[in-house]
Amino acid sequence: MNRRDFLRTATAAALTVIGGKVAWRGYQDAQAPNILDYLDRQLTPAAAAQTTAEKISHYGKLSEGDIFWSVMWPYMYAVGRAEGTVGNSLGIDPYKVIYTYNQFDNFSDHPRRAHPILDENGQPTGKVSDASGWPQFISTTWDKTVADNPFWYDGPAFGPANQDLGFLYLHRDTGAHVALMAGIQVEPLTQRLSVSYEAFIQAISLDSQEWASLPGANIGAETGQNTRPKWWLWTQFQWALWRQMGYRRRILHPIGADKVLTSEMGYQAWRDGIHWGQDFSCTEGTAILAPEAGSVTLTGYEPNGGYYLSFAPTAQPELAVIFRHCQGKSIVAEGAPVEVGKPIGRTGNSGASTTAPHAHIEVTVDGQHIDPHYYLGMSQWF
Ligand SMILES: [Zn+2]
């Protein structure tokens, strides 16, 4: 199998993984060589190519195409989720969404159908938008992108493949692509791929010049479009990356899946701030079990959160599961390897910011919070 065939196979396989359940329409296999031509000739900026090439020559396993798509599909998924097109509640194919939650069916050209922009109360603002497709291209942006770039796929001009390509061109032009690719890390032995939060957020911030749902430039203020919080985007990206890379694994709920969830992660008005984890009601002294093989990396006490412990899985060491309001410090030594199901602590009611016994569980990746839901439910997501 030569490099081209391998890349095509790997790319098609990667696209198959992300296809289906999240309603992405993957490329046809026959189009894959065009993707590779595009990768080779059009997209990869010199800086990113050099970074990737160094990794390839050093590790020799993950191909350039693997790395590119393994990061780009999750990134596009996160942006599509933020735009509200991917995974929209009406079940409309993301490639056919026209602002706001209408549908178009003819891919031969940008639909150029303007709809009234509504404010947060659903009332017309007097302005209109013709944003279309999963990246919500307005026609002027789309026309400029078409004019600026000579290479496009055969087939419908505004079809799925060209919407993706148009996104990638814009994402390149904002500078986000170079920023994102620079944040990729590949473990030498396991070939595990991860992306730094700093690089991800820098890319999101640069892309916010084009996509109003992304935090940064806040171009959506004019249209009343809210930006998504960074932690929410980081969560979406991680979930899609785990899925794309096949990082699914069986997770034991550390305090038992029968416990009642009493508080979700996210902004809470009464706190006037973000609740950075999930709360589960449980009696004091409930065993905290290792959700998978790993180790307790840190345990201690602080006034608000009380006794805490931080657990890192062996399979994903950049991820941390943090428990607060515990009954005491961890009952295992910091750094000692523990098997799945081994008790590592007990729940309690310690610290100032608790009113009743409960387990507060946070999850971070690269030190930045994600919604714990996605980790604790990992076994059932795929
Ligand atoms: Zn809490």
Side-chain angles (χ1 to χ4, degrees), residues 271 275 277-279 325 358 360:
R271 293 175 194 269
H275 181 228
Q278 285 184 324
D279 291 342
H325 307 309
H358 72 282
H360 169 102

Side-chain angles (χ1 to χ4, degrees), residues 26-329:
Y27 293 97
Q28 299 300 308
D29 188 50
Q31 292 176 299
N34 282 343
I35 298 173
L36 299 177
D37 288 341
Y38 157 69
L39 281 174
D40 288 342
R41 295 186 289 103
Q42 302 280 341
L43 183 80
T44 313
Q50 188 180 12
T51 306
T52 305
E54 285 169 6
K55 286 169 180 162
I56 296 299
S57 63
H58 188 66
Y59 304 126
K61 286 181 183 172
L62 281 178
S63 72
E64 181 183 319
D66 289 339
I67 291 174
F68 176 84
W69 286 113
S70 296
V71 176
M72 282 319 300
W73 277 107
Y75 188 84
M76 291 158 77
Y77 174 82
V79 174
R81 289 279 289 142
E83 289 290 312
T85 50
V86 173
N88 66 78
S89 58
L90 297 182
I92 299 174
D93 180 339
Y95 289 105
K96 294 179 177 174
V97 172
I98 187 165
Y99 184 90
T100 166
Y101 299 125
N102 287 286
Q103 185 171 336
F104 68 96
D105 288 308
N106 188 339
F107 286 133
S108 65
D109 187 17
H110 188 288
R112 305 178 195 282
R113 272 163 45 190
H115 290 261
I117 294 175
L118 307 179
D119 66 18
E120 58 190 12
N121 299 316
Q123 298 303 310
T125 59
K127 296 173 180 156
V128 296
S129 171
D130 64 1
S132 301
W134 83 259
Q136 291 287 278
F137 282 109
I138 57 173
S139 55
T140 49
T141 304
W142 177 252
D143 291 344
K144 183 176 188 309
T145 306
V146 169
D148 286 350
N149 296 284
F151 177 84
W152 295 92
Y153 294 118
D154 293 339
F158 199 63
N162 283 331
Q163 286 185 28
D164 291 353
L165 191 55
F167 172 85
L168 291 170
Y169 283 140
L170 276 181
H171 167 77
R172 173 201 61 192
D173 293 344
T174 63
H177 183 64
V178 170
L180 185 63
M181 292 289 138
I184 298 172
Q185 294 124 29
V186 179
E187 289 285 326
L189 193 62
T190 61
Q191 293 288 289
R192 282 192 61 263
L193 182 153
S194 59
V195 178
S196 80
Y197 178 78
E198 185 184 4
F200 174 77
I201 287 301
Q202 192 187 352
I204 288 290
S205 180
L206 288 164
D207 273 343
S208 74
Q209 301 161 51
E210 295 289 351
W211 288 280
S213 62
L214 305 181
N218 197 25
I219 59 173
E222 189 186 342
T223 61
Q225 186 168 3
N226 293 323
T227 57
R228 290 290 192 170
K230 291 175 182 175
W231 66 262
W232 186 91
L233 284 157
W234 187 231
T235 299
Q236 300 301 325
F237 178 69
Q238 288 302 323
W239 180 79
L241 186 67
W242 301 347
R243 181 183 173 126
Q244 180 78 353
M245 296 302 291
Y247 293 159
R248 175 198 182 189
R249 52 192 187 271
R250 201 159 286 285
I251 303 295
L252 182 73
H253 198 295
I255 56 162
D258 58 327
K259 302 301 184 294
V260 175
L261 176 70
T262 53
S263 184
E264 283 280 15
M265 175 163 170
Y267 178 81
Q268 295 179 347
W270 69 270
R271 293 175 194 269
D272 192 24
I274 295 170
H275 181 228
W276 289 108
Q278 285 184 324
D279 291 342
F280 296 89
S281 178
C282 56
T283 55
E284 285 190 58
T286 301
I288 299 172
L289 308 177
E292 55 182 316
S295 63
V296 172
T297 54
L298 199 65
T299 184
Y301 180 87
E302 55 95 13
N304 277 329
Y307 288 106
Y308 64 88
L309 68 94
S310 182
F311 174 87
T314 306
Q316 200 172 0
E318 75 275 16
L319 185 144
V321 189
I322 302 160
F323 302 84
R324 300 194 190 278
H325 307 309
C326 300
Q327 201 171 50
K329 291 186 184 180

